[in-house]
Amino acid sequence: MFRFVLMASLALSGAACSSKASDQQAAAASANSLSTASTSSATTASTSTVTTLPPAAAQAKAPEAKTAKGFARYSKKLKKEALARGYDKKLVDQVFASLTFHAKVVVADKGQPEFVETLDTYLPKRVNKQRIDMAVKMYQTHQTELKQVEQKYGVPARFVVALWGLESAFGRITGNYSVPSALATLAYEGRREAFFKEEFFLALDILAQGHISLKEMKGSWAGAMGHTQFMPSSFMKYAQDGDGDGHKDIWTNRSDAFASIANYLKTEGWQQGVTWGRQVKLPPNFDFSLVIPKGSKDRAQWLQWWAKSERPLSEWRKLGLTNIDGTALPGRDLKAALVMPDDKEGRAYLAYHNYQTLMHWNRSYYFVSSVGYLADEISRANSNTKTATTAKKRG
């Protein structure tokens, strides 16, 4: 039986996002190959002479245990590299004096939890009534700021609030790890040393530019920071000074966080006047080859698959697709691709261009579906409030 695996999110934003929805067949093939390899090894051991490696060779094969002492040695080398790159010695001394080895970070990176999930079980947890109510409240409370951001960047405020809510619970859960320490620990851990080392040096750039103090530079165990959960590389590319105070502070400044989220979407191609997508009903005997496949190796391949699926709404209507309630699809001159996060047995979505932009933030059908769903709920609640207000005024 194929197992659908959902990886726990690292919240790496645009800099290091990975699809949580793994390919079912790849997962099954991996499990089968492990089983086959295990059987083969057992057979070989019972019929062949087992050669014992010399102690030195055996030690060379064993992975190095990650310890605080090893981290201290690694940090000395990292400090020399920082100075060689030209960072101010006072800043380097301050940062490296603060570095702490986080064993839990190593464990978290190596042992990310896997669990069976479908969109029907995922959405109620990620976008429950409490989160929807809070999103609507935040949307209404910060309407003045959000409208300014919407006008400047051309990104609807409801999507800014949805991303804010899903990434950091509206700024309440941003992580309490020292970002430089977390990144240095992950670089030392070694699985993706080059990536995390560069993120570490970008964190030094942020500190050098004075956007935040070292003490306040907190984030997740993976180095994702602040209200937006940007990695340092995303910060450098997308962060904005929303209130004009000379700092890009996504940790404590809500205006900067709103502007940074909107700028991310604008920079990655958000189209004004178009939503993200819509859930649809498929006709009997539908040709599922028109659906974007799952398990893409990278964004480039996914975009190729998108191009093969994308066609005008008028063509999707001719193919028998309707809105989920059975009504006709819009008559707008738009193109859309067909996405099915849970294959033939799950929900189907016609995805517009802005779906691509959200997938740049996090290449996960589940995450994008939750953002779109929450944004739609904000819009629905806002429309209901306006209707009720108008009715009340009319008496």
Side-chain angles (χ1 to χ4, degrees):
M1 179 183 294
F2 290 154
R3 199 164 61 111
F4 188 83
V5 178
L6 178 69
M7 299 301 294
S9 175
L10 294 182
L12 297 189
S13 305
C17 49
S18 59
S19 178
K20 299 185 190 70
S22 300
D23 179 64
Q24 295 177 18
Q25 292 185 349
S30 177
N32 289 338
S33 65
L34 287 173
S35 176
T36 303
S38 177
T39 303
S40 177
S41 297
T43 303
T44 302
S46 65
T47 59
S48 307
T49 301
V50 178
T51 303
T52 304
L53 291 172
Q59 289 175 7
K61 293 285 185 180
E64 177 193 355
K66 301 302 176 180
T67 64
K69 287 184 178 180
F71 178 73
R73 291 192 296 270
Y74 183 85
S75 296
K76 287 181 179 179
K77 295 179 182 178
L78 196 62
K79 184 175 182 179
K80 288 182 179 179
E81 185 173 345
L83 292 170
R85 290 189 179 212
Y87 288 100
D88 180 74
K89 186 176 185 303
K90 184 178 178 181
L91 173 64
V92 171
D93 287 344
Q94 181 189 24
V95 170
F96 279 85
S98 75
L99 292 187
T100 302
F101 173 64
H102 290 292
K104 290 182 179 180
V105 168
V106 175
V107 173
D109 189 50
K110 288 185 175 180
Q112 299 168 44
E114 298 180 354
F115 50 93
V116 177
E117 189 77 282
T118 67
L119 198 55
D120 285 338
T121 60
Y122 177 87
L123 279 178
K125 290 184 290 187
R126 289 284 283 169
V127 193
N128 55 27
K129 185 178 184 303
Q130 181 182 7
R131 177 157 284 172
I132 292 171
D133 290 345
M134 181 62 72
V136 172
K137 180 180 178 181
M138 291 298 174
Y139 178 85
Q140 295 171 347
T141 300
H142 304 297
Q143 191 63 209
T144 301
E145 288 177 274
L146 288 166
K147 281 298 179 185
Q148 292 174 350
V149 168
E150 185 172 311
Q151 290 171 6
K152 181 175 181 179
Y153 296 97
V155 175
R158 61 194 180 101
F159 286 96
V160 173
V161 173
L163 282 164
W164 182 38
L166 289 167
E167 285 292 2
S168 66
F170 312 100
R172 293 179 299 165
I173 304 174
T174 59
N176 200 37
Y177 282 91
S178 160
V179 169
S181 289
L183 293 172
T185 297
L186 286 164
Y188 164 60
E189 186 264 326
R191 190 168 67 89
R192 288 184 290 168
E193 180 183 10
F195 169 76
F196 283 112
K197 185 189 287 188
E198 284 307 308
E199 293 293 332
F200 174 82
F201 288 124
L202 288 171
L204 292 189
D205 289 336
I206 295 168
L207 291 169
Q209 293 171 11
H211 296 298
I212 196 71
S213 69
L214 176 60
K215 182 179 179 181
E216 292 179 305
M217 193 182 230
K218 301 289 186 180
S220 73
W221 64 263
M225 309 179 299
H227 287 242
T228 61
Q229 289 294 280
F230 280 175
M231 293 296 286
S233 54
S234 290
F235 179 97
M236 298 300 286
K237 186 174 182 179
Y238 307 110
Q240 295 285 287
D241 176 9
D243 60 1
D245 67 353
H247 301 285
K248 300 174 183 178
D249 177 5
I250 60 172
W251 295 267
T252 66
N253 189 313
R254 189 178 56 247
S255 296
D256 290 3
F258 288 168
S260 297
I261 293 171
N263 185 55
Y264 186 110
L265 297 180
K266 177 185 177 182
T267 301
E268 295 305 330
W270 187 272
Q271 290 185 350
Q272 295 188 48
V274 181
T275 188
W276 66 289
R278 63 181 58 244
Q279 189 176 354
V280 293
K281 182 186 292 185
L282 305 180
N285 302 317
F286 180 72
D287 180 4
F288 286 96
S289 68
L290 301 177
V291 180
I292 297 178
K294 284 170 28 184
S296 57
K297 64 181 179 181
D298 53 30
R299 181 172 174 80
Q301 185 181 56
W302 183 77
L303 288 174
Q304 291 176 355
W305 292 348
W306 173 289
K308 291 180 180 179
S309 173
E310 189 178 46
R311 60 204 68 231
L313 286 179
S314 57
E315 288 192 28
W316 289 119
R317 286 197 300 272
K318 290 178 182 178
L319 288 168
L321 276 69
T322 65
N323 289 318
I324 192 63
D325 61 3
T327 58
L329 295 175
R332 296 185 65 183
D333 182 21
L334 291 174
K335 287 186 176 182
L338 189 59
V339 174
M340 296 190 71
D342 293 322
D343 301 318
K344 298 179 182 180
E345 304 304 319
R347 305 185 189 200
Y349 292 91
L350 280 179
Y352 302 131
H353 176 82
N354 289 335
Y355 196 102
Q356 281 189 21
T357 303
L358 292 172
M359 284 284 278
H360 192 282
W361 183 291
N362 187 327
R363 193 160 57 91
S364 161
Y365 291 136
Y366 282 19
F367 179 81
V368 172
S369 296
S370 65
V371 173
Y373 181 64
L374 183 54
D376 287 349
E377 288 298 312
I378 293 171
S379 179
R380 186 174 295 109
N382 192 49
S383 297
N384 292 340
T385 299
K386 287 182 177 178
T387 301
T389 302
T390 302
K392 187 176 181 180
K393 287 180 178 178
R394 290 175 179 173

